Amino acid sequence: AQSVSQHNHHVILSEAASLELGCNYSYGGTVNLFWYVQYPGQHLQLLLKYFSGDPLVKGIKGFEAEFIKSKFSFNLRKPSVQWSDTAEYFCAVKGGSQGNLIFGKGTKLSVKP
Amino acid sequence: ETGVTQTPRHLVMGMTNKKSLKCEQHLGHNAMYWYKQSAKKPLELMFVYNFKEQTENNSVPSRFSPECPNSSHLFLHLHTLQPEDSALYLCASSQEIRWGGDTQYFGPGTRLTVL
């Protein structure tokens, strides 16, 4: 069965620090990969997605993620976080064109001003 | 963004009540989903509808009953729930489940408390 692991439950950073959130998945075939963000009191929003092509994908608000097939990873990065990036971040994987979207448990990011 | 709306936003119900959650999408999508979001657990897929046909029932108890009258509307009928059913219920929609580029868009959720 497919699964998604997000290694960090809660990350605390100061403004301007660099961010990397880990995401690993287990699925042997073609995957579609997503990062969603949930700001406090708001709904889940798509941050970025990977379907094919360049494994380095850029999303909204300066976020990017790199798909490393050999490591089954899709880590999220941002070079300099802001207080407004405080939110919960969810990695999700869809295995194959008809697979269901499987979510990780989420990583809560707190950015101190 | 108001692409996917859900009502009510908050619901408190007793174990013997019957209530319904409503979801509406304004994105022209053909697939709709119900998820359950509980604290410290991954989002759990409950039901999937594609072109109004149910394609997935993820071993959900029968006290949850979905209804999809058209591609824009999705309901979740609730009956004799248990306190452990208290959670945030999220609706999502996407273009079509078999499309390789399919991406799900989520509503704000209904916060359900079962007393």
Side-chain angles (χ1 to χ4, degrees), chain A residues 9 32 34 36 38 41-46 49 51 88 90 94 97-101 103-105, chain B residues 1 35 37 40-43 45 48 56 88 90 97-108:
Chain A
H9 177 61
N32 294 342
F34 305 81
Y36 285 86
Q38 191 170 30
Q42 296 189 30
H43 63 277
L44 271 171
Q45 301 173 41
L46 182 68
K49 60 186 177 182
F51 289 153
E88 192 157 14
F90 295 89
K94 181 178 180 182
S97 61
Q98 299 192 44
N100 291 324
L101 196 59
F103 283 83
K105 290 185 178 182
Chain B
E1 182 183 325
Y35 287 87
Q37 187 177 25
K40 299 183 181 180
K41 293 175 71 175
L43 264 73
L45 178 67
V48 181
E56 185 83 28
L88 183 67
L90 296 175
I97 63 172
R98 285 178 292 269
W99 179 49
D102 203 41
T103 299
Q104 294 182 28
Y105 295 89
F106 287 81

Side-chain angles (χ1 to χ4, degrees), chain B residues 60-105:
Chain B
V60 181
S62 59
R63 58 186 183 269
F64 295 91
S65 174
E67 179 190 1
C68 188
N70 54 62
S71 292
S72 298
H73 294 86
L74 184 65
F75 295 89
L76 187 63
H77 303 301
L78 314 173
H79 177 51
T80 58
L81 295 192
Q82 305 298 312
E84 59 265 29
D85 296 322
S86 298
L88 183 67
Y89 288 85
L90 296 175
C91 175
S93 73
S94 69
Q95 186 62 45
E96 198 267 294
I97 63 172
R98 285 178 292 269
W99 179 49
D102 203 41
T103 299
Q104 294 182 28
Y105 295 89

Side-chain angles (χ1 to χ4, degrees), chain A residues 12 14-15 26 39 47 53-56 63 75 87 92 94 98 104 109:
Chain A
I12 303 172
S14 298
E15 276 196 313
S26 63
Y39 297 103
L47 203 52
D54 190 343
L56 184 62
F63 286 91
N75 291 355
K94 181 178 180 182
Q98 299 192 44
L109 172 66

Side-chain angles (χ1 to χ4, degrees), chain A residues 21-84:
Chain A
L21 301 182
C23 174
N24 286 90
Y25 65 91
S26 63
Y27 184 76
T30 303
V31 291
N32 294 342
L33 300 159
F34 305 81
W35 276 98
Y36 285 86
V37 60
Q38 191 170 30
Y39 297 103
Q42 296 189 30
H43 63 277
L44 271 171
Q45 301 173 41
L46 182 68
L47 203 52
L48 49 78
K49 60 186 177 182
Y50 170 81
F51 289 153
S52 63
D54 190 343
L56 184 62
V57 292
K58 296 189 184 299
I60 60 172
K61 304 186 180 184
F63 286 91
E64 65 178 31
E66 185 175 12
F67 170 48
I68 302 179
K69 189 174 181 180
S70 60
K71 294 185 178 180
F72 298 90
S73 70
F74 190 56
N75 291 355
L76 181 71
R77 300 194 293 248
K78 185 171 183 178
S80 177
V81 295
Q82 301 172 325
W83 177 79
S84 58

